[in-house]
């Protein structure tokens, strides 16, 4: 089974969706079948994690076959230390998002769960594809189910949010497609072989001229920056998060945003190394603006979900700052922070969704003192609030610490400003926590029910991981050491050779 494990991981959710569509009827039946399918998908990632060779930067479990030979298109997939944690995160959060939707989704349940399964195939495929054509298909395949999840099962302004999400992402996709086509022809011009093979195209990076690299870098950068999202192309994110159902917010924050930063790591840095080095200060400035701006805007939000959405802009600023420090500590911190942000922010959206189901409001001013009614919720929410701030002993502390170490090495001035984001995060998160849980109790919430068993079950794995990463991060960083070391050498070897 292990020789085809990646194909199984990619297509199992799609096959499950097809089987459910053909043979099962009824929302509840579909709901349980989808949950079982996503649990099996997560279990399938365990042998991938345990069999992964951490001593090499090479792609592993590679599967390669000609698909459209006339155009140099292959079915080519593989996993390395940069993508493996994203696969684990994707399958874990999808299963949790399904369980978290059991009572939230009441209309068109069958279609909702089928959309989630199709979306999972697209997400796993993006992280495993090693052929540009294949990658682009998976990238676009995610767009439609997420558009539907926001547009059909979202809030009052769901159509506006869904269309905005679609247009922004599509604009980025078009730029990315143009860059891919340009690389296809450039590789053919240099080697005489026309291919979409990402590894082959990357291997020729040193032969791409500075001007060509700059154009390709900018096209890729804008496309992925929209997905992250970086300042100033972030405006689709708060609308999408606020209007999306809980599962949509969890997948958006936990997985989809990571695809932008994954694109920086997989394409921008190794394919356009000289341009990446040239644009380091530019990206660092945008990252620092995102950290500070996201934090300040989060501070003035009255909607608790929007507050967490803007905090994502700030947290993802740390990720891009670490990646574009282009050193071992910075990039490892960036990847670890991608993972941490998925776990912590995913948990915060689940908790906000749980309390919204009971109160039908997200306005911070309307809560007030509910800790007395929901002590279990208050305790778990406090833990993830502290996790988001980056309290020592929790995952985000390790991620942000590594990012700042890497950033100080590359550009100390920006790192000092970025460090202020940690303080701002403490201000807006603790203030939000105090207003939601420890103001005078609103009498409307005196009989509010605390978390039930299902909610505790889906939050527990995230709770364990937050402390696991914080106490013994080597379990997770050991996967990426060799791949990041190879990436840094690749960028500077090729970048210096260009000068």
């Amino acid at each position: 089974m292990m020789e085809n494990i990646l194909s199984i991981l990619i297509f199992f959710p799609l096959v499950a969706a097809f089987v459910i569509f053909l043979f099962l009827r009824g929302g509840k039946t579909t709901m349980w079948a989808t949950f079982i399918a996503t649990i099996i998908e997560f279990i399938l990632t365990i042998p991938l994690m345990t069999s992964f060779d951490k001593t090499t930067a090479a792609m592993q479990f590679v599967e390669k076959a000609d698909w459209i030979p006339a155009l140099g298109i292959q079915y080519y997939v593989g996993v390395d230390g940069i993508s493996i944690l994203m696969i684990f995160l994707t399958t874990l959060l999808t299963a949790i998002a399904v369980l978290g939707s059991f009572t939230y989704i009441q209309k068109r349940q069958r279609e909702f769960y089928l959309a989630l399964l199709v979306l999972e195939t697209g997400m796993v495929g993006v992280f495993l594809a090693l052929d540009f054509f294949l990658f682009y298909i998976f990238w676009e395949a995610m767009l439609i189910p997420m558009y539907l999840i926001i547009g059909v099962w979202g809030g009052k302004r769901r159509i506006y949010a869904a269309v905005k999400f679609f247009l922004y992402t599509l604009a980025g996709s078009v730029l990315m497609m143009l860059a891919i086509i340009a690389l296809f022809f450039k590789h053919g011009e240099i080697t005489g072989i026309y291919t979409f093979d990402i590894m082959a195209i990357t291997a020729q990076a040193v032969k791409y001229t500075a001007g060509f690299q700059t154009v390709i870098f900018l096209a890729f950068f804008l496309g992925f920056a929209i997905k992250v999202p970086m300042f100033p192309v972030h405006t689709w994110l708060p609308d999408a998060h606020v209007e999306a159902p809980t599962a949509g917010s969890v997948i958006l924050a936990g997985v989809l945003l990571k695809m932008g930063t994954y694109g920086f790591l997989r394409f921008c840095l190794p394919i356009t190394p000289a341009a990446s080095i040239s644009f380091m200060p530019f990206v660092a400035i945008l990252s620092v603006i995102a950290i500070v701006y996201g934090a300040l805007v989060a501070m003035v939000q009255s909607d608790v979900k929007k507050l967490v959405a803007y905090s994502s802009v700030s947290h993802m600023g740390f990720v891009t700052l670490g990646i574009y420090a282009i050193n071992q500590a910075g990039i490892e911190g960036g990847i670890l922070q991608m993972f941490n942000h998925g776990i912590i922010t995913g948990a915060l959206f689940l908790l906000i969704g749980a309390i919204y189901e009971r109160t039908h409001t997200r306005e911070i001013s309307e809560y007030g003192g509910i800790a007395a009614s929901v002590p279990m919720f208050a305790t778990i929410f406090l833990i993830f609030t502290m996790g988001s701030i980056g309290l020592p002993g929790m995952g985000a502390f390790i991620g942000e610490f590594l990012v700042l170490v890497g950033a100080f090495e590359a550009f100390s001035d920006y790192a000092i400003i970025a460090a202020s984001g940690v303080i701002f995060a403490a201000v807006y998160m603790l203030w939000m926590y105090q207003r939601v849980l420890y103001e005078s109790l609103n009498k409307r919430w005196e009989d509010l029910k605390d978390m039930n068993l299902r909610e505790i079950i889906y939050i527990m794995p995230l709770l364990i991981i937050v402390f696991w990463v914080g106490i013994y991060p080597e379990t997770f960083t050991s996967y990426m050491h060799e791949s990041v070391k190879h990436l840094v050498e690749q960028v500077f070897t090729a970048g210096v050779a260009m000068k």
Side-chain angles (χ1 to χ4, degrees):
M1 186 183 83
M2 290 308 291
E3 63 269 21
N4 301 116
I5 185 66
L6 300 189
S7 292
I8 294 170
L9 279 169
I10 293 170
F11 293 109
F12 177 75
L14 192 63
V15 171
F18 192 63
V19 170
I20 291 169
F21 175 74
L22 287 181
F23 299 107
L24 299 181
R25 293 289 179 268
K28 296 291 181 190
T29 311
T30 303
M31 180 182 79
W32 278 105
T34 303
F35 179 58
I36 292 167
T38 53
I39 286 293
I40 293 172
E41 174 80 350
F42 173 68
I43 291 171
L44 286 170
T45 62
I46 305 300
L48 182 72
M49 301 288 289
T50 54
S51 305
F52 186 83
D53 183 357
K54 300 175 184 176
T55 63
T56 175
M59 287 291 170
Q60 300 179 42
F61 306 99
V62 170
E63 296 173 46
K64 195 172 185 179
D66 283 338
W67 180 10
I68 309 175
L71 294 175
I73 297 171
Q74 306 168 88
Y75 175 76
Y76 184 14
V77 294
V79 66
D80 66 356
I82 292 172
S83 53
I84 192 163
L85 286 182
M86 297 302 107
I87 297 299
F88 178 82
L89 183 68
T90 302
T91 56
L92 174 66
L93 286 182
T94 305
I96 288 174
V98 170
L99 188 57
S101 302
F102 272 23
T103 54
Y104 194 97
I105 300 299
Q106 294 297 327
K107 67 173 184 180
R108 295 179 179 269
Q109 289 174 308
R110 183 175 155 78
E111 291 84 352
F112 175 80
Y113 292 109
L114 291 176
L116 273 181
L117 286 171
V118 174
L119 180 62
E120 186 171 26
T121 284
M123 294 187 295
V124 174
V126 161
F127 290 127
L128 295 179
L130 295 178
D131 180 281
F132 266 126
F133 189 82
L134 189 63
F135 171 84
Y136 193 76
I137 285 178
F138 285 130
W139 182 275
E140 291 298 296
M142 296 180 311
L143 192 56
I144 294 171
M146 183 47 78
Y147 170 80
L148 292 174
I149 286 171
I150 299 171
V152 176
W153 293 276
K156 291 179 183 175
R157 297 175 70 241
R158 59 185 180 274
I159 301 300
Y160 168 76
V163 170
K164 195 172 181 181
F165 161 78
F166 189 90
L167 291 178
Y168 266 74
T169 309
L170 188 65
S173 299
V174 170
L175 287 170
M176 189 169 66
M177 182 179 66
L178 293 174
I180 290 170
I181 292 171
L183 284 167
F184 171 78
F185 283 108
K186 177 59 80 174
H187 185 271
E189 181 186 314
I190 293 171
T191 65
I193 300 169
Y194 289 88
T195 179
F196 287 95
D197 183 330
I198 293 171
M199 296 295 106
I201 287 172
T202 303
Q204 300 300 321
V206 73
K207 296 178 183 173
Y208 304 148
T209 64
F212 180 77
Q213 285 200 27
T214 301
V215 172
I216 297 298
F217 173 85
L218 290 174
F220 271 140
F221 179 78
L222 192 53
F224 295 130
I226 290 172
K227 201 76 171 181
V228 173
M230 293 184 74
F231 176 87
V233 287
H234 63 283
T235 59
W236 65 269
L237 181 70
D239 292 315
H241 267 316
V242 169
E243 298 304 325
T246 298
S249 296
V250 172
I251 297 295
L252 260 176
V255 184
L256 263 61
L257 307 191
K258 313 301 173 295
M259 290 178 180
T261 44
Y262 175 76
F264 292 153
L265 291 163
R266 181 67 74 211
F267 305 129
C268 289
L269 292 184
I271 295 176
T272 59
S276 294
I277 293 170
S278 301
F279 279 93
M280 278 172 69
F282 171 71
V283 182
I285 290 170
L286 288 183
S287 302
V288 170
I289 292 174
I291 291 168
V292 177
Y293 168 82
L296 293 176
V297 178
M299 215 175 286
V300 296
Q301 295 306 312
S302 60
D303 182 316
V304 65
K305 204 172 181 186
K306 208 167 203 175
L307 185 151
V308 177
Y310 272 108
S311 79
S312 290
V313 176
S314 183
H315 289 307
M316 292 305 288
F318 277 103
V319 175
T320 52
L321 183 69
I323 290 173
Y324 275 90
I326 315 185
N327 52 43
Q328 187 85 17
I331 294 178
E332 286 195 7
I335 297 172
L336 190 63
Q337 197 56 7
M338 286 161 65
F339 183 78
N340 289 329
H341 179 263
I343 297 293
I344 294 169
T345 308
L348 286 172
F349 279 125
L350 283 165
L351 291 167
I352 292 168
I355 209 68
Y356 178 78
E357 283 189 62
R358 291 159 171 77
T359 62
H360 300 289
T361 181
R362 292 190 301 266
E363 285 298 313
I364 295 172
S365 60
E366 292 189 24
Y367 292 111
I370 61 172
S373 304
V374 287
M376 175 71 78
F377 173 86
T379 305
I380 294 176
F381 198 62
L382 177 64
I383 292 171
F384 284 106
T385 299
M386 293 300 178
S388 182
I389 292 169
L391 195 74
M394 305 177 85
F397 172 76
I398 305 295
E400 289 180 354
F401 181 78
L402 286 171
V403 164
L404 290 174
V405 168
F408 265 101
E409 189 180 326
F411 15 66
S412 57
D413 293 347
Y414 301 141
I416 292 168
I417 302 170
S420 67
V422 178
I423 299 166
F424 288 137
V427 173
Y428 66 74
M429 288 302 290
L430 291 175
W431 190 32
M432 177 271 288
Y433 183 81
Q434 184 263 327
R435 287 179 291 162
V436 170
L437 290 143
Y438 286 104
E439 292 282 359
S440 299
L441 177 62
N442 186 330
K443 291 186 178 178
R444 290 165 63 192
W445 316 130
E446 280 180 347
D447 298 323
L448 212 57
K449 290 183 179 176
D450 208 345
M451 294 179 74
N452 56 39
L453 182 61
R454 177 182 61 88
E455 291 163 341
I456 292 170
I457 287 173
Y458 67 59
I459 212 73
M460 284 311 290
L462 305 179
L463 204 59
I464 292 168
I465 291 173
V466 164
F467 286 109
W468 190 346
V469 180
I471 294 168
Y472 193 68
E474 183 64 14
T475 305
F476 301 88
T477 55
S478 59
Y479 283 98
M480 64 182 86
H481 288 327
E482 290 302 317
S483 292
V484 171
K485 182 181 174 186
H486 174 70
L487 177 61
V488 173
E489 289 173 356
Q490 200 177 8
V491 173
F492 282 103
T493 302
V496 169
M498 291 286 302
K499 294 181 179 176

